[in-house]
RNA sequence: GGGGGCGUAGCUCAAUUGGUUAGAGUACCGGACUGUCGAUCCGGUGGUUGCGGGUUCGACCCCCGUCGCCCUCGCCA
């Protein structure tokens, strides 16, 4: 490890880590530094498990041992968990007592001298790899939680992954460029975190939701290939996979089309997964049209670890005696089905009722179902599918005895959402979603706009700068829903991990998009004037993407949420239990900012 | 903003229908022990049952309010 010559090293400094020593080091005199993970007393003999980042090594203190420092046994006898030590000792083989559960298990270190750096109070929870303490306490004492192997592993692999990404992009001539953290607020998108300005009273910076605009300005600047491991901030309600601040691999390229970005990012992801997590991703990543993904998987982020595609039964249903089917088709809807192989016996009537209740939360009225037996179709739709009709249905669904069929009949949006969710639920229940398997894909050509029912207006489906597939579009108002944007998502195992697009680089077209969405020229100037201006002075065609590092790492490591891969995360109310941020500030600070809080005084609010 | 779950010893949990002194494991303290590795054995300290109010002869348990954490819908261009 250290390059420092031995002569310049203090006598207490480690010669090895707690994960280094094997029988090859037998009889060497070594120095280890670390924390006491555990200790076992046997009267005249004490075992101490000494832990550092690299492993755990058993230290033995033997009252009978020769060469031991005076008072050593009494010193070690009163040490406790999490005390920090330097141990000088001799490596010896364990003989019959090898511990096969540890990399250092074939040896132990016979202590000759010990320096105590720090005596620890009993920790509020035990610092063991098997997590038992609740997350609230673990976040409050995060520095203790981070001593545990699962957390350290996550941070180490995360760092390896990010380094691999940096190396890859560096090799591809990308330039790492830092962009402002104090930036301009804009009303579109997520709620901004605001920072008051002292020298501009009454005015505020916003923390960036992403470096989107800055990287586009880098393209205008001719910087060609930009990237940044960028912290982003969004003041919205949180989830297991959302933190108020999170990290993106943000990149942008000039003079490119979709396939240039996708090819490059695919290579980057493969490299990152290999170097960071030792995972070989199957290539190429399939590329789905948005419509195709919705039609086949009922989702714009398909989980490709298993098949069970949505099968279109609309034509079959049109002529059906089953009114729910034929009625839905007549009303302009569709009928689709899923064939769950061998699932018939796993789903009782009750289990199917639960699935029905499940889809109702997505707006579906229910599920039609059938079990396939040697005799044909059984279940809710059986009486409409006897004889030839049944045989036709079975053939259409590719079903065999033992299979469970589930159908949705409604407007396409509802059918896709409901069956897409059922597909995932069945996939989980049938054990088809192996967390050790990783399957990636791209989804392209998203709708340009979507209708916001609450606000009764069209809005961006992706971001305001995504180019329409049709460069020459004159008027978006005719059929807004038909316009596709040159946006793409990167998806792994059903998680959306990245999103990007080819951008608009012509100010006139950008203005047209804003106009359509009812953003007045005055608002455009106030919020994005500097971007529109930049485009006047020679903007290259360009596009890029941003990938969520936290989600990527969490998924790769099979962790439940992103808090497990962030060193110092916040709670779901965006509170930092460790530092207790956010906090009140002094009246003096507020006066300087010319800010007056209207929040109820702290003493008025009830507290625990 | 809405819905759901949780809150009991430092930690992880238990406590019958509302009923006697709120228990166990672990940690911690003391003792025994020379081959343990989740050591074992003996003994001990440790409680505002999140907080406030209410119902009741009696509340960890029921009711109201409140705080915190987790999940989720909305939200996250």
């Amino acid at each position: 490890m250290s390059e420092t010559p031995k002569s310049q090293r203090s006598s207490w400094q480690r010669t090895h880590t707690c994960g280094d020593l094997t029988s090859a080091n037998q009889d060497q005199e070594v120095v280890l530094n670390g924390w006491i993970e555990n200790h076992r007393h046997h009267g005249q003999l004490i075992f101490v498990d000494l832990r550092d980042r690299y492993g755990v090594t058993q230290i033995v203190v033997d009252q009978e041992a020769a060469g031991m420092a005076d008072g050593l046994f009494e010193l070690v006898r009163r040490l406790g968990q999490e005390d920090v030590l330097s141990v000088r000792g001799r490596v010896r083989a364990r003989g019959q007592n090898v511990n096969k559960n540890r990399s250092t298990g074939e040896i132990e270190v016979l202590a000759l001298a010990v320096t105590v750096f720090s005596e620890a109070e009993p920790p509020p929870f035990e610092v063991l790899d098997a997590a038992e303490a609740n997350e609230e306490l673990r976040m409050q004492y995060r520095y203790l939680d981070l001593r545990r192997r699962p957390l350290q592993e996550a941070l180490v692999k995360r760092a390896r992954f990010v380094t691999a990404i940096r190396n890859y992009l560096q090799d591809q001539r990308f330039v790492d460029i830092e962009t402002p953290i104090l930036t301009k607020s804009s009303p579109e998108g997520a709620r901004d975190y605001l920072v008051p300005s002292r020298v501009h009273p009454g005015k505020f910076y916003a923390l960036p939701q992403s470096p989107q605009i800055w990287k586009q300005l880098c393209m205008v600047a001719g910087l060609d290939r930009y990237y940044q491991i960028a912290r982003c901030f969004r003041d919205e309600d949180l989830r297991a996979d959302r933190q108020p601040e999170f990290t993106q691999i943000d990149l942008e390229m000039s003079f490119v089309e979709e396939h240039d970005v996708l090819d490059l990012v695919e290579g980057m992801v493969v490299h990152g997964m290999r170097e960071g997590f030792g995972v070989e991703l199957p290539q190429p990543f399939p590329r789905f049209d948005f419509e195709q993904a919705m039609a086949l998987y009922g989702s714009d982020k398909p989980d490709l670890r298993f098949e069970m595609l949505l099968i279109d039964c609309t034509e079959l249903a049109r002529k059906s005696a089953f009114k729910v089917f034929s009625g839905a088709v007549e009303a302009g809807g569709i009928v689709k089905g899923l064939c769950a192989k061998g699932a018939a016996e796993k789903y009782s009537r009750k289990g199917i009722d639960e699935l029905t209740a499940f889809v109702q939360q997505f707006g579906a009225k229910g599920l039609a179902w059938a079990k396939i037996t040697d005799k044909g179709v059984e279940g809710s739709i059986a009486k409409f599918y006897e004889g030839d009709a049944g045989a036709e249905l079975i053939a259409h669904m590719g079903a065999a005895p033992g299979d469970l069929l589930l159908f949705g009949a409604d407007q396409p949006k509802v059918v896709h959402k409901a069956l897409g969710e059922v597909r995932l639920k069945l996939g989980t229940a049938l054990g088809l979603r192996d967390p050790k398997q990783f399957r990636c894909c791209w989804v392209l050509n998203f709708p340009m706009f979507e209708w916001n029912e609450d606000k009764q207006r069209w809005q961006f489906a992706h971001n305001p700068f995504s180019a329409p597939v049709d460069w020459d579009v004159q008027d978006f108002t005719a059929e807004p829903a038909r316009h596709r944007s040159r946006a793409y998502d990167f998806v792994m195992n059903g998680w959306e991990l990245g999103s990007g697009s080819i951008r608009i680089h012509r100010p006139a077209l950008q203005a047209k998009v804003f106009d359509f969405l009812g953003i007045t020229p005055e608002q455009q100037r106030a919020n994005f004037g500097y971007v529109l201006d930049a485009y006047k002075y020679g903007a290259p065609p360009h596009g890029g993407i941003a990938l969520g590092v936290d989600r990527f790492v969490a998924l790769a490591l099979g962790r439940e949420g992103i808090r497990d891969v962030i060193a110092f995360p916040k709670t779901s109310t965006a509170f930092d239990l460790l530092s207790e941020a956010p906090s009140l500030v002094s009246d003096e600070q507020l006066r300087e900012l010319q800010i007056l809080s209207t929040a109820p005084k702290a003493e008025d609010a009830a507290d625990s």
Side-chain angles (χ1 to χ4, degrees):
Chain A
M1 26 169 302
S2 175
E3 304 269 327
T4 310
K6 196 176 180 184
S7 58
Q8 291 176 26
R9 215 157 47 203
S10 295
S11 63
W12 55 262
Q13 286 189 293
R14 61 187 175 187
T15 58
H16 298 77
T17 72
C18 295
D20 279 343
L21 299 172
T22 66
S23 51
N25 302 94
Q26 201 169 329
D27 297 329
Q28 289 178 10
E29 190 169 308
V30 299
V31 180
L32 299 179
N33 299 161
W35 285 256
I36 295 181
E37 176 147 306
N38 195 10
H39 52 117
R40 297 171 289 279
H41 292 221
H42 286 254
Q44 307 298 301
L45 193 66
I46 304 172
F47 298 100
V48 174
D49 292 334
L50 198 67
R51 174 192 64 226
D52 66 12
R53 226 185 95 185
Y54 308 93
V56 176
T57 300
Q58 173 162 295
I59 310 296
V60 193
V61 185
D62 186 340
Q63 197 156 33
E64 302 293 309
M68 192 168 69
D70 287 348
L72 176 63
F73 192 86
E74 284 307 307
L75 171 70
V76 173
R77 217 166 69 87
R78 62 174 181 81
L79 293 177
Q81 294 191 0
E82 304 307 322
D83 288 345
V84 189
L85 316 179
S86 168
V87 177
R88 183 169 60 80
R90 190 165 56 247
V91 181
R92 64 186 196 189
R94 291 242 210 142
Q96 296 302 306
N97 298 314
V98 164
N99 184 342
K100 293 195 175 68
N101 300 321
R102 277 183 199 159
S103 64
T104 60
E106 45 186 39
I107 55 88
E108 62 190 7
V109 173
L110 177 69
L112 299 174
V114 166
T115 305
V116 179
F117 297 131
S118 177
E119 291 188 43
E121 289 181 22
F125 56 89
E126 293 173 72
V127 185
L128 298 171
D129 289 351
E132 283 174 10
N134 77 58
E135 200 175 7
E136 189 174 354
L137 198 71
R138 288 166 45 212
M139 281 198 277
Q140 189 183 343
Y141 298 92
R142 190 64 168 179
Y143 42 87
L144 295 180
D145 201 25
L146 288 172
R147 282 184 197 162
R148 295 172 43 244
R149 196 134 343 266
L151 276 283
Q152 294 206 345
E153 181 199 11
L155 295 184
V156 168
K157 289 188 174 173
R158 177 181 177 134
R160 232 162 53 189
F161 170 72
V162 170
T163 300
I165 297 294
R166 287 187 183 282
N167 290 340
Y168 181 90
L169 292 174
Q170 174 77 26
D171 289 347
Q172 298 285 335
R173 307 194 324 271
F174 280 76
V175 184
D176 179 5
I177 300 171
E178 294 180 71
T179 54
I181 294 294
L182 296 176
T183 179
K184 186 182 172 74
S185 179
S186 88
E188 296 292 332
R191 193 178 296 111
D192 284 323
Y193 275 101
L194 296 177
V195 180
S197 165
R198 175 181 55 84
V199 291
H200 300 281
K203 293 185 177 176
F204 295 82
Y205 302 97
L207 303 183
Q209 295 175 27
S210 78
Q212 183 65 35
I213 286 169
W214 301 104
K215 67 178 177 179
Q216 292 184 230
L217 295 177
C218 286
M219 295 303 103
V220 176
L223 282 158
D224 213 28
R225 291 184 163 208
Y226 143 97
Y227 89 97
Q228 185 180 190
I229 310 297
R231 197 68 68 86
C232 306
F233 307 85
R234 292 177 191 175
D235 186 6
E236 295 290 348
D237 287 349
L238 305 177
R239 291 283 191 286
D241 61 350
R242 285 190 225 157
Q243 283 275 295
E245 50 183 312
F246 60 99
T247 306
Q248 290 189 339
I249 301 162
D250 191 47
L251 63 88
E252 196 79 4
M253 310 161 73
S254 289
F255 310 114
V256 292
E257 304 267 30
E258 283 87 338
H259 63 87
D260 299 299
V261 179
L262 269 46
D263 288 348
L264 181 123
V265 172
E266 186 161 329
M268 179 184 84
V269 166
V270 167
H271 182 72
M273 283 294 279
R274 181 185 297 138
E275 299 294 317
F277 309 109
V279 170
E280 283 302 321
L281 290 174
Q283 281 184 280
F285 303 167
R287 296 178 186 185
F288 295 101
D289 195 82
F290 169 81
E291 296 290 354
Q292 190 188 9
M294 292 304 294
L296 293 177
Y297 297 93
S299 169
D300 61 358
K301 42 185 181 188
D303 187 341
L304 300 190
R305 284 174 296 178
F306 65 109
E307 285 284 321
M308 206 190 295
L309 301 179
L310 276 58
I311 298 167
D312 192 345
C313 302
T314 306
E315 289 314 309
L316 219 61
R318 190 185 300 279
K319 61 186 180 187
S320 176
F322 184 35
K323 285 287 191 301
V324 171
F325 280 5
S326 54
V329 178
E330 276 166 35
I334 59 170
V335 176
K336 289 199 167 189
L338 287 173
C339 176
K341 290 285 169 199
E345 64 182 28
K346 284 204 174 76
Y347 280 86
S348 62
R349 184 61 204 255
K350 187 173 165 233
I352 292 168
D353 286 347
E354 283 167 7
L355 283 179
T356 303
F358 174 69
V359 297
Q360 279 166 351
Q361 64 175 309
F362 306 110
K365 292 177 199 74
L367 281 173
W369 61 278
K371 290 179 176 179
I372 307 305
T373 68
D374 295 334
K375 293 170 193 145
V377 178
E378 287 183 2
S380 71
I381 63 171
K383 61 182 171 184
F384 307 107
Y385 287 96
E386 292 166 342
D388 288 350
E392 189 183 11
L393 183 70
I394 290 169
H396 186 74
M397 295 298 291
D403 293 353
L404 172 68
L405 304 183
L406 294 161
F407 299 92
D410 210 313
Q411 293 304 305
K413 199 174 170 182
V414 174
V415 172
H416 288 152
K417 178 69 180 168
L419 288 185
E421 294 290 343
V422 168
R423 175 178 175 273
L424 293 178
K425 205 173 177 66
L426 290 172
T428 302
L430 299 172
L432 303 174
R433 304 177 74 191
D434 175 6
K436 301 273 184 211
Q437 194 191 346
F438 298 95
R439 295 291 303 277
C440 303
C441 67
W442 292 100
V443 179
L444 291 84
N445 298 323
F446 279 76
M448 186 90 179
F449 307 108
E450 62 193 13
W451 179 250
N452 185 318
E453 196 62 45
D454 293 337
K455 296 174 187 164
Q456 286 291 303
R457 66 175 180 87
W458 291 93
Q459 63 182 28
F460 299 111
H462 232 73
N463 90 34
F465 309 105
S466 294
V469 169
D470 178 9
W471 277 121
D472 299 318
V473 60
Q474 292 304 311
D475 182 11
F476 289 107
T477 58
E479 284 182 281
R482 286 184 64 94
H483 288 283
R484 301 288 126 175
S485 75
R486 298 180 66 180
Y488 34 80
D489 278 1
F490 170 70
V491 177
M492 185 155 78
N493 290 7
W495 286 36
E496 183 205 311
L497 295 184
S499 188
S501 65
I502 301 298
R503 324 294 182 188
I504 296 169
H505 65 282
R506 299 176 189 170
L509 180 58
Q510 186 68 65
K512 226 172 250 177
V513 173
F514 283 140
D515 288 343
F516 167 67
L517 293 171
I519 300 170
T520 66
E522 292 72 28
Q523 289 169 325
Q524 293 175 34
R525 277 239 65 81
N527 295 322
F528 303 109
Y530 61 114
V531 187
L532 299 175
D533 283 347
Y535 284 2
K536 291 180 193 165
Y537 299 105
H542 60 284
I545 194 167
L547 289 94
V549 172
D550 313 286
R551 284 187 190 179
F552 206 118
V553 176
L555 180 57
L557 293 175
R559 305 296 167 92
E560 293 295 324
I562 65 174
R563 282 190 299 270
D564 289 345
V565 301
I566 294 172
F568 299 103
K570 293 183 175 60
T571 68
S572 64
T573 55
F575 188 71
D576 178 358
L577 289 166
L578 207 172
S579 72
E580 302 190 315
S583 60
L584 294 172
V585 295
S586 70
D587 290 341
E588 174 60 25
Q589 285 173 290
L590 291 178
R591 264 196 301 277
E592 274 196 319
L593 296 165
Q594 303 193 38
I595 282 177
L596 197 59
S597 175
T598 61
K601 291 282 185 205
E603 50 267 32
D604 297 343
D607 207 7
S608 48

